[in-house]
Amino acid sequence: MSGQQTAVITGAAGMLGSALMKLAPAAVRTVGVDIADGDLSTDEGIDGALGPYPPSLHERSYGGRDQPDVVIHCAGYTDVDGATSEPELAQRHNALATEKVAVFCAERGAKLIYISTDYVFDGTRGSPYSEEDAPNPINAYGRSKLAGERAAQQIAADCLIVRTQWMFGPGGRNFVAAIIDHARHGGEVGGVVDEIGSPTYTRDMAGALWELVAEPISGIIHLTNSGYCSRAELARAALDVAGLSGVPITEISGADWDSPTRRPAFSVLENRRWAALGHAPLRPWQKAVAEYVKSYLQ
Ligand SMILES: NC(=O)c1ccc[n+]([C@@H]2O[C@H](COP(=O)([O-])OP(=O)(O)OC[C@H]3O[C@@H](n4cnc5c(N)ncnc54)[C@H](OP(=O)(O)O)[C@@H]3O)[C@@H](O)[C@H]2O)c1
């Protein structure tokens, strides 16, 4: 970005949105909105959170202009099991809300960056997925996020879809924090061995996203910390850093885990385009987990 630019962060109270707010470059003016400002799946919510179109006297001012330069759309329905039991709710918050945010961006000429997920893939390929691979979601959450991707691409043609996975960080419930809390309260820790992904720190993701904001690219890009592991290996790494090495992890299969949702077995995202753009890989997930766990326990 050159000069003073304005970026709207939706889902600004959530895990990734709060990291983006915190790590915004000095040259970017951020406007953070979340559900308390308006439900983005409704026209009233869009007007309340982002401002109506055509612009009125009462709307938000984006640095004295009618539109932001970019909208990083992090808001979403992220409860994977909740999406399985209430798929229409996931569609509303992930697909319909994205459609409305995309219309806002198209009307204002703002760039849309939509945060999506590895769950658009079925996880059967057995090797990392590149941006060219065909999605085939196997659960309601994945279907709702893919519908969001398609709405974004149809309405805001130059949008950028950034797929990530297994995020952890301050500002929201996440697997790493949940495992540590559970173990500290004496609970038995179960770790799924046949679900493989790349744990990704919101702090690293936010820094990389701000780099992407400065680049005139569209389409799809995959972005995660480097390396991959099973849920059981992630749990072990988190507990070790937390000084809980003595806590055993019962290794289980995803099929035996008490969840109503089928999850992709191997949904690692190859960061092929990120590398092709000349960026260094994000640090290995183990280093990111160690940094987060230390700060979580302080
Ligand atoms: N977490 C992961 O591991 C992961 C992995 C891959 C991709 N992603 C994607 O990355 C994005 C950010 O994830 P996150 O974990 O940071 O999310 P998060 O912590 O759950 O935050 C999302 C925020 O969006 C809000 N929200 C939901 N529906 C909304 C709506 N219709 N209008 C306005 N606000 C709404 C939520 O409010 P409520 O809490 O009140 O619902 C919440 O504050 C999401 O799009 C997610 O699908 C996440």
Side-chain angles (χ1 to χ4, degrees):
M1 280 189 169
S2 59
Q4 180 77 31
Q5 308 250 352
T6 303
V8 169
I9 313 298
T10 73
M15 214 163 38
L16 180 60
S18 58
L20 280 164
M21 294 296 290
K22 199 169 166 191
L23 296 171
V28 180
R29 178 178 172 273
T30 51
V31 177
V33 298
D34 210 284
I35 192 93
D37 303 293
D39 178 343
L40 298 172
S41 67
T42 68
D43 291 336
E44 306 73 49
I46 290 279
D47 288 357
L50 304 178
Y53 190 83
S56 82
L57 283 176
H58 305 292
E59 72 162 312
R60 279 186 184 280
S61 166
Y62 295 105
R65 291 175 299 125
D66 293 338
Q67 79 287 335
D69 298 283
V70 60
V71 176
I72 309 181
H73 181 40
C74 304
Y77 185 91
T78 55
D79 177 352
V80 174
D81 284 345
T84 301
S85 51
E86 297 185 286
E88 62 295 328
L89 209 56
Q91 281 290 326
R92 200 182 105 202
H93 291 291
N94 291 337
L96 183 58
T98 302
E99 184 183 316
K100 290 187 182 296
V101 171
V103 168
F104 172 89
C105 290
E107 284 176 343
R108 307 294 181 103
K111 169 86 175 225
L112 171 62
I113 297 182
Y114 172 59
I115 309 301
S116 192
T117 170
D118 59 311
Y119 276 31
V120 299
F121 295 113
D122 61 22
T124 59
R125 196 183 130 106
S127 59
Y129 287 95
S130 84
E131 291 87 353
E132 281 78 42
D133 286 315
N136 181 33
I138 56 171
N139 58 42
Y141 171 73
R143 283 189 286 277
S144 70
K145 292 296 292 184
L146 181 60
E149 288 190 8
R150 300 220 157 124
Q153 286 183 311
Q154 273 164 21
I155 298 164
D158 76 333
C159 72
L160 180 65
I161 290 163
V162 185
R163 295 190 187 128
T164 188
Q165 68 179 156
W166 290 24
M167 278 201 290
F168 57 89
R173 292 300 300 155
N174 68 77
F175 180 84
V176 173
I179 287 287
I180 290 173
D181 290 348
H182 194 63
R184 284 166 108 194
H185 290 101
E188 191 190 335
V189 179
V192 172
V193 289
D194 50 6
E195 227 182 85
I196 312 289
S198 300
T200 300
Y201 192 9
T202 51
R203 187 187 172 83
D204 296 345
M205 186 65 192
L209 276 170
W210 283 121
E211 287 183 47
L212 286 177
V213 165
E215 296 177 26
I217 58 164
S218 57
I220 298 173
I221 190 164
H222 291 174
L223 199 47
T224 62
N225 278 112
S226 300
Y228 53 82
C229 62
S230 68
R231 291 274 181 193
E233 288 167 326
L234 175 55
R236 181 74 276 152
L239 293 184
D240 287 351
V241 179
L244 297 165
S245 300
V247 175
I249 294 174
T250 308
E251 297 195 339
I252 54 172
S253 155
D256 297 330
W257 189 37
D258 184 23
S259 164
T261 311
R262 224 177 117 214
R263 287 168 165 77
F266 186 100
S267 54
V268 175
L269 299 175
E270 183 186 0
N271 291 195
R272 184 185 290 182
R273 192 169 177 207
W274 175 254
L277 287 166
H279 295 282
L282 301 194
R283 64 182 151 169
W285 66 266
Q286 295 93 332
K287 288 195 171 165
V289 166
E291 183 181 301
Y292 168 64
V293 170
K294 282 177 197 152
S295 68
Y296 182 67
L297 294 175
Q298 270 172 7

